[in-house]
Amino acid sequence: MDSDHDRSSADGGKDAWPQVLNRSAEVRDTLGAIPADQAVTTPSTSSSAVPSSAAALSPTPSSPVPDPSVTGRGIAGLSTPYQVVAALALSLIGLLACTQVAMVFLHVAPSNTLTKEHGKTIDRWIYPEFEQNWKLFAPNPLQQNVAVHVRAEVVDADGRRTTRWMNLTHEDAKGIRGNLFPSHVDQNELRRGWDFYVNSHDSENRPNGLRGDLSERYVRRIAMLRLSERDYGGTIERIQLRSATSAVAPPPWSTEKISTRPVYRVLPWWTVTPDDLPEHAAEQSRDAARAEADQ
């Protein structure tokens, strides 16, 4: 050994084991990570043992780790029997929720064909656990058709005559049907004006407050505004209004029997005054009255 060491020094300091010291850094790092209890091949062994020891130091492949995204999540990650059970359970919960919403809706809705036919079933479902103390609509939605009619007493050269009833509500309806942008006047002026009059008068057409006279003048002006659009060949001296109220007919599949005959509420005759005429007609009437007074 001493002679070998001296010979190596005499040869210029070359190492006796170049194949071990000249390994790559990756192999050296791997060798440094080997535990101390593992035996290392001694220099007395042949150089053919070095590659076998390096192969032994290479890491062994581990078992593959399953990807969680591949196995599925939620119901998709369950087996087929459990998926069937989960689907049935969700369907049952959805059905119960829809039934509950429908029963509560029918319970708080105004009286209709369904509630009259299945009222006991709805009550058995609602009471006592799901009792409701409110209603969906207040007041109940309209279940009647109300039409306002007007006729006039006209004085002309042949004397005095009364016109036929004119359906003002029908005239408004013609302007609304088929119109993508109906007029606010056609939709609400007459309807709200008549509601204003009915709510401020009793069944005998007597005003029940200060708003009674105001509502009467408002309805008279609406009527004269509509009549002024027609030429009756004379002067309108008096007008009369009435309402025709009829119930909405039940659907064909309903067994409910409702009379659709109209019920009339006839107002007294009103004498037309200049304030009842449209604005331009009122000014002309005042001017004519002043001219006659000056004469």
Side-chain angles (χ1 to χ4, degrees):
M1 292 295 290
D2 293 338
S3 62
D4 294 338
H5 177 71
D6 294 338
R7 187 168 59 252
S8 64
S9 300
D11 292 339
K14 294 182 179 181
D15 293 329
W17 305 95
Q19 65 272 30
V20 176
L21 299 179
N22 293 335
R23 292 173 179 169
S24 61
E26 181 180 355
V27 176
R28 289 198 301 268
D29 294 339
T30 305
L31 292 173
I34 299 175
D37 57 351
Q38 294 185 5
V40 181
T41 308
T42 59
S44 59
T45 60
S46 62
S47 61
S48 61
V50 176
S52 63
S53 62
L57 296 176
S58 61
T60 59
S62 59
S63 59
V65 179
D67 188 0
S69 62
V70 177
T71 58
R73 297 177 181 177
I75 298 179
L78 301 175
S79 60
T80 302
Y82 286 104
Q83 289 182 3
V84 174
V85 173
L88 292 176
L90 292 177
S91 301
L92 180 60
I93 293 174
L95 180 61
L96 289 175
C98 293
T99 304
Q100 172 68 13
V101 172
M103 289 297 184
V104 172
F105 176 82
L106 293 174
H107 177 71
V108 300
S111 179
N112 54 70
T113 305
L114 287 177
T115 56
K116 292 178 181 178
E117 182 71 20
H118 307 285
K120 294 182 179 180
T121 302
I122 297 172
D123 291 341
R124 284 196 296 266
W125 179 281
I126 293 297
Y127 294 107
E129 290 83 2
F130 308 113
E131 182 178 0
Q132 307 291 319
N133 58 358
W134 61 282
K135 291 297 181 182
L136 186 61
F137 298 105
N140 291 338
L142 292 177
Q143 298 182 1
Q144 296 175 330
N145 290 323
V146 180
V148 180
H149 304 164
V150 64
R151 64 179 179 177
E153 189 177 85
V154 181
V155 177
D156 54 14
D158 296 333
R160 188 181 302 270
R161 58 187 174 86
T162 302
T163 65
R164 299 177 59 182
W165 288 103
M166 183 175 69
N167 192 337
L168 301 179
T169 303
H170 178 70
E171 298 295 326
D172 289 345
K174 288 196 302 184
I176 295 173
R177 292 191 179 97
N179 190 348
L180 296 178
F181 303 99
S183 170
H184 182 76
V185 174
D186 292 340
Q187 296 181 81
N188 298 313
E189 182 184 55
L190 179 63
R191 179 178 62 84
R192 292 185 176 179
W194 185 255
D195 289 341
F196 183 26
Y197 178 87
V198 170
N199 293 330
S200 58
H201 288 73
D202 58 17
S203 59
E204 300 297 329
N205 298 317
R206 294 188 297 260
N208 53 20
L210 299 177
R211 295 167 60 88
D213 181 64
L214 177 63
S215 64
E216 179 181 327
R217 287 188 281 114
Y218 184 70
V219 170
R220 289 165 63 171
R221 290 179 181 179
I222 293 177
M224 287 303 303
L225 181 64
R226 306 294 180 87
L227 291 173
S228 64
E229 298 174 355
R230 298 172 179 266
D231 185 12
Y232 289 101
T235 303
I236 300 176
E237 288 195 350
R238 296 197 305 168
I239 60 174
Q240 187 180 30
L241 281 84
R242 73 177 184 182
S243 65
T245 304
S246 58
V248 177
W253 47 265
S254 175
T255 59
E256 188 176 5
K257 302 298 182 181
I258 297 178
S259 175
T260 57
R261 291 187 58 184
V263 177
Y264 295 99
R265 177 174 179 174
V266 182
L267 275 58
W269 283 95
W270 289 329
T271 301
V272 178
T273 64
D275 292 334
D276 298 331
L277 302 176
E279 185 176 359
H280 66 280
E283 293 178 356
Q284 293 177 358
S285 179
R286 293 191 185 96
D287 294 339
R290 294 193 189 97
E292 292 178 359
D294 295 337
Q295 295 176 357

